[in-house]
Amino acid sequence: MYALLILVPLASSIILNLLPKGVNKRIAFGLSLALSFLQALFIFFPACPVWKTGARTLESVFRFNFFIDNLTSVMLLCISIVVFVTLLASRKFIESGEKRGSFINVILVALIGMNGAVLTRDIFSLYVFLEITAVSSFILIALDKDILAFEGAFKYIVFSAVASVLMLAAISLLLLLTGSTDFNVIHALFKMQPAHNALVILAVGLFLCGLFIKAGLMPFHGWLPDAYSSAPAHISVLLAGVVTKVAGIYALIRIIVSVLGFTAAVQSVLLLTAALSVILGAIASLTQSDFRRMLAYSSISQVGYIVLGLGSGTALGIAGAIFHIFNHATFKSLLFVNCASVEKQTGIRDMRSLSGLAQRMPVTGVTSVIGSLSCAGIPPLAGFWSKLMIIIALWMEGYRVYAFIAILGSLLTLAYFLYLQRSIFFGKLNPEFKDIKEAGFALTFPAILLTAIIILVGLAAPLLLEKQIFTLNSIWGG
Amino acid sequence: MVSAIFITLLFITGIYCIMASYNLVRVLIGVEILIKAVTLMIIVVGSACGRLALAQSLVITLIVVEVVVITVAVGVVLGIHTHNNSLDVRKVRRLKG
Amino acid sequence: MSLDLLIYLALTIAALWTVMTRSLLRSAIGLALVSAILTIIIFRLNAPLAGVFELSVCAGLIPVLFVSVVSLTQPYTHQEIIERMKSMFTRFRFLPLIVIAVGLALGLLSLKPETSLPLPADGKDVRFVLWHLRRFDLLGQMIVLLTGVFGVVILFKERKKSG
């Protein structure tokens, strides 16, 4: 049934291109928006009869064996939300119809790639779908064809290709060790291997290196700020919100938890890299003057939190990590949407030459405050709960130094967001921005939607944690 | 394990090429050498552990993916060339990392 | 055994030449040569289908792509070529040394990896595996080709207007 998540976007992408241009122009945007919305509905109501009848006819031809657990559902939900928001935001940025058509083609392929990567249960198929996601994001970054975008895309291509090669080398070593590429087979056979076997260590090391590059963790982050800051403003919402999360973090969690399993060495590598990313990412973002680069470094720091949660190796830590993925997808997309509207209205990305915009752009100002506070982990908002879970998990496992690092990182996060807020939105309004207006429905609606999600999830977190997240323990059994 | 040694050498050659080249096309050639090394590795592994059919089907998929990645990369390189009129990496480093 | 060793040596030398030769055109041809030698190895390992793919796509198509980039972009002037020769020599002079040193070191160490699972050959046919077990990958191939088409349309189309 989950095959629908891949086949329906694929079919609609092909049909859209077969239609005559005039029809395509009119329905492409609405159709893709509807697809991402339907995906969210699908996650909430998987038992709805509408999907079931559709799936039954298809399943006679396309019978795939998917990996479905709560991590998958959370990721699929994040993907649908962020793709929805990106599509809405793109409305403001792409004027010409032809360009919008090609944008929608590529974003649908990216959607298929991410869904496939999340659903598959085979390490080689994971590679194939990660590569689809990566190729479509190269194209999306270079969509505007300015020189910076091309350079950012090239850097991303080279880093991503090296990461893929490392992953493939690890996959072939796993094939040598176990004779299979299926998650479950490898997981079962891996328990029997002696952990000190040189090939096992090499395979795990190569896999971790590749995924760290794709996730942009700190020693391997070279491409990430460039790719985020050189992409078109609405694309960086997609990149920061889900693409690197699926390509790096989801794959990392899945490979560690469901395939390779925890060992002491893996845990210490994860914790060390994550702590480095949390602290250095936060410090690097304090020194930026371009707000998109600041958010990119902030992404590195937040990804560090997710990996800290994973590195704790307990159910609570992993649940916290997954919750933080969801929160990061919402608040970071919100902040990038806000940046997009500031950029669209003023044409400036340097924080030093902006001030007092909250008076002219109240919606953007208020929503960005909420996004920043959630990112810094201020109590009633969603970001607080996930960070709390991660810190408690670290503390309970005795990693007290790492727990302190996480708290310190949170303070640094608050510091750089206060700096961002003060320099862009508060203070005296610069007279040259007297006539700036709000960016319009296409950018304020996604901002309000994401803010509502952040606040609601934050308020309902205790309930959600009982009902949803802790059932994530099921991924232990898998 | 003669093949393992030569696969390692190919990896070293590719990585060195990516790091030391000043030309965008040559960086891509380094990436290609790396992919060649990994292709060889999968086939050697497949024949070593008796999963040659699986290894072959993986390699076929890998080759298709490789072609698409290189094509898109070539498009990006051409785009850089139209703006900069040069393929030199040193003129590209406007992004600081 | 010795024939295999010779082919592997040829592969390494071809790769070194590809990386170190001064002209990009020769580099692209060298890449085709690497692919062709790789194809021989793949055939000798008894994997003909993968070999055919490697030969037709990697030895045929990809060098053509590189050659077309090199010819579309502007060639260097004579002065630049001489300068580049010098700088390339200084940058790449360590590569053969490293390759030889690592090769000898690994050869002398003669690592024996402990694969504790001697697997029985499954003896399945590649066509069967590809169609019945790797169908999701086939779907992935289709999608990746679609992405490639979109990429070509977007990245190559408007170039002619601007440039």
Side-chain angles (χ1 to χ4, degrees):
Chain A
M1 198 170 68
Y2 279 79
L4 285 177
L5 291 179
I6 293 164
L7 296 174
V8 172
L10 180 62
S12 42
S13 159
I14 293 170
I15 290 168
L16 277 180
N17 282 293
L18 294 179
L19 288 174
K21 277 233 166 106
V23 184
N24 180 356
K25 239 181 238 174
R26 250 173 287 145
I27 67 166
F29 182 75
L31 183 67
S32 46
L33 212 56
L35 277 178
S36 56
F37 186 68
L38 281 178
Q39 177 165 336
L41 279 186
F42 181 83
I43 306 305
F44 282 116
F45 308 104
C48 177
V50 179
W51 335 113
K52 286 216 161 141
T53 46
R56 214 166 291 139
T57 44
L58 273 173
E59 263 185 2
S60 50
V61 191
F62 299 96
R63 181 174 291 281
F64 301 121
N65 209 355
F66 286 137
F67 206 105
I68 316 288
D69 59 15
N70 287 18
L71 175 57
T72 319
S73 313
V74 170
M75 291 312 296
L76 289 172
L77 187 62
C78 292
I79 292 168
S80 66
I81 291 174
V82 179
V83 169
F84 187 79
V85 166
T86 309
L87 279 166
L88 273 178
S90 77
R91 194 84 184 158
K92 199 76 191 168
F93 282 86
I94 306 177
E95 268 89 25
S96 90
E98 192 183 351
K99 215 171 168 192
R100 185 176 290 154
S102 48
F103 164 73
I104 283 170
N105 277 337
V106 182
I107 206 168
L108 280 180
V109 174
L111 176 71
I112 299 167
M114 288 187 283
N115 283 348
V118 170
L119 285 169
T120 181
R121 57 185 307 151
D122 180 289
I123 41 177
F124 192 79
S125 303
L126 179 70
Y127 155 78
V128 173
F129 279 84
L130 287 187
E131 210 69 354
I132 293 169
T133 317
V135 172
S136 49
S137 47
F138 305 151
I139 303 169
L140 285 174
I141 292 173
L143 204 62
D144 271 1
K145 303 194 179 210
D146 62 35
I147 177 68
L148 283 179
F150 276 130
E151 289 172 5
F154 188 80
K155 223 172 167 183
Y156 188 14
I157 289 174
V158 173
F159 271 84
S160 161
V162 172
S164 306
V165 166
L166 293 179
M167 269 177 68
L168 277 172
I171 288 171
S172 68
L173 284 177
L174 292 179
L175 181 65
L176 180 66
L177 289 165
T178 63
S180 170
T181 55
D182 189 274
F183 285 171
N184 291 348
V185 178
I186 296 176
H187 191 62
L189 286 173
F190 230 66
K191 285 181 190 152
M192 292 187 279
Q193 295 277 341
H196 52 80
N197 185 339
L199 280 180
V200 174
I201 294 171
L202 187 62
V204 174
L206 286 172
F207 229 125
L208 285 187
C209 263
L211 291 173
F212 284 167
I213 295 176
K214 292 220 169 204
L217 280 164
M218 203 54 181
F220 310 99
H221 69 289
W223 59 271
L224 191 141
D226 293 342
Y228 283 15
S229 64
S230 63
H234 54 288
I235 303 299
S236 56
V237 177
L238 182 76
L239 284 179
V242 283
V243 168
T244 48
K245 302 300 161 291
V246 169
I249 298 302
Y250 165 79
L252 189 64
I253 294 179
R254 180 60 86 209
I255 293 293
I256 299 277
V257 175
S258 309
V259 183
L260 301 179
F262 282 97
T263 60
V266 167
Q267 255 178 308
S268 53
V269 168
L270 285 177
L271 286 171
L272 199 64
T273 330
L276 213 61
S277 307
V278 167
I279 292 296
L280 293 182
I283 290 174
S285 53
L286 270 172
T287 63
Q288 301 299 317
S289 60
D290 175 341
F291 52 69
R292 268 215 255 159
R293 289 185 81 84
M294 174 186 258
L295 287 182
Y297 278 107
S298 153
S299 262
I300 295 175
S301 166
Q302 299 304 317
V303 163
Y305 276 100
I306 299 170
V307 179
L308 270 183
L310 173 68
S312 75
T314 57
L316 180 68
I318 293 173
I322 294 167
F323 194 21
H324 203 63
I325 291 181
F326 177 78
N327 288 338
H328 185 269
T330 49
F331 62 64
K332 202 43 69 70
S333 331
L334 170 60
L335 290 168
F336 270 103
V337 167
N338 289 331
C339 281
S341 42
V342 170
E343 209 177 321
K344 181 77 186 166
Q345 297 307 101
T346 63
I348 301 173
R349 285 167 55 176
D350 194 333
M351 287 190 285
R352 286 167 300 192
S353 47
L354 289 166
S355 78
L357 283 181
Q359 297 171 32
R360 303 301 311 162
M361 306 171 78
V363 177
T364 311
V366 170
T367 51
S368 81
V369 168
I370 289 172
S372 310
L373 292 182
S374 176
C375 186
I378 300 300
L381 298 169
F384 166 72
W385 299 101
S386 52
K387 283 196 177 175
L388 186 69
M389 284 163 77
I390 291 169
I391 291 171
I392 289 176
L394 286 171
W395 189 267
M396 273 169 32
E397 280 298 289
Y399 298 113
R400 310 229 158 141
V401 181
Y402 291 111
F404 273 120
I405 287 177
I407 295 169
L408 180 65
S410 224
L411 292 178
L412 286 172
T413 312
L414 195 60
Y416 63 73
F417 275 123
L418 281 180
Y419 175 64
L420 181 134
Q421 295 297 336
R422 210 192 56 197
S423 51
I424 299 183
F425 293 109
F426 297 123
K428 245 174 59 189
L429 182 68
N430 202 331
E432 62 180 297
F433 301 128
K434 223 170 44 216
D435 305 323
I436 298 282
K437 273 186 294 199
E438 199 61 78
F441 183 71
L443 283 171
T444 51
F445 175 67
I448 292 170
L449 179 75
L450 289 169
T451 312
I453 292 176
I454 290 172
I455 294 177
L456 283 179
V457 170
L459 294 179
L463 192 74
L464 285 176
L465 292 179
E466 284 292 316
K467 284 240 154 117
Q468 293 293 322
I469 311 278
F470 276 106
T471 46
L472 284 174
N473 294 348
S474 67
I475 66 175
W476 280 105
Chain B
M1 292 313 267
V2 185
S3 46
I5 298 172
F6 285 97
I7 292 167
T8 319
L9 297 185
L10 273 187
F11 268 115
I12 292 173
T13 314
I15 292 279
Y16 196 102
C17 180
I18 293 174
M19 304 231 277
S21 294
Y22 287 160
N23 187 300
L24 296 176
V25 177
R26 207 177 285 274
V27 172
L28 287 187
I29 285 174
V31 170
E32 267 292 302
I33 299 253
L34 280 182
I35 298 177
K36 292 280 144 0
V38 108
T39 311
L40 179 58
M41 189 167 173
I42 291 175
I43 290 287
V44 167
V45 161
S47 84
C49 73
R51 293 284 186 279
L52 200 54
L54 178 60
Q56 280 196 71
S57 41
L58 299 193
V59 164
I60 290 168
T61 314
L62 169 63
I63 288 172
V64 172
V65 173
E66 170 194 356
V67 169
V68 170
V69 171
I70 292 294
T71 314
V72 170
V74 161
V76 170
V77 168
L78 284 177
I80 292 178
H81 185 263
T82 47
H83 283 279
N84 268 1
N85 225 354
S86 155
L87 290 177
D88 199 317
V89 176
R90 284 163 296 183
K91 290 183 187 160
V92 170
R93 295 245 165 99
R94 226 170 296 172
L95 299 165
K96 310 175 276 281
Chain C
M1 192 60 214
S2 62
L3 181 61
D4 273 337
L5 195 64
L6 275 181
I7 298 173
Y8 276 121
L9 273 178
L11 179 71
T12 312
I13 291 166
L16 279 178
W17 186 69
T18 307
V19 172
M20 296 182 65
T21 182
R22 279 169 226 118
S23 133
L24 281 176
L25 275 176
R26 274 189 232 157
S27 218
I29 294 163
L31 200 59
L33 193 64
V34 171
S35 280
I37 299 173
L38 186 58
T39 309
I40 299 175
I41 297 174
I42 292 176
F43 270 117
R44 285 179 60 85
L45 286 172
N46 207 8
L49 202 58
V52 168
F53 257 77
E54 175 74 29
L55 190 63
S56 60
V57 178
C58 292
L61 187 60
I62 289 178
V64 170
L65 264 176
F66 280 120
V67 168
S68 57
V69 185
V70 174
S71 56
L72 276 175
T73 53
Q74 245 148 35
Y76 293 91
T77 60
H78 189 68
Q79 190 61 39
E80 274 178 339
I81 288 175
I82 291 171
E83 274 173 27
R84 275 166 40 86
M85 271 161 65
K86 284 179 194 154
S87 87
M88 275 207 51
F89 179 73
T90 49
R91 276 181 288 130
F92 280 93
R93 68 189 153 175
F94 295 116
L95 178 58
L97 298 179
I98 294 175
V99 164
I100 292 169
V102 173
L104 284 179
L106 288 177
L108 289 177
L109 277 175
S110 64
L111 297 168
K112 288 271 188 299
E114 3 159 356
T115 45
S116 52
L117 297 164
L119 297 159
D122 57 356
K124 283 175 193 150
D125 186 52
V126 56
R127 284 161 295 181
F128 173 84
V129 171
L130 199 56
W131 184 247
H132 288 278
L133 305 178
R134 314 295 308 176
R135 204 180 286 176
F136 199 46
D137 285 359
L138 283 182
L139 186 68
Q141 282 187 29
M142 224 174 91
I143 299 165
V144 97
L145 284 175
L146 193 70
T147 323
V149 171
F150 291 150
V152 168
V153 166
I154 290 170
L155 293 172
F156 289 80
K157 191 169 67 178
E158 289 164 32
R159 260 177 47 77
K160 276 174 197 151
K161 288 179 206 161
S162 61

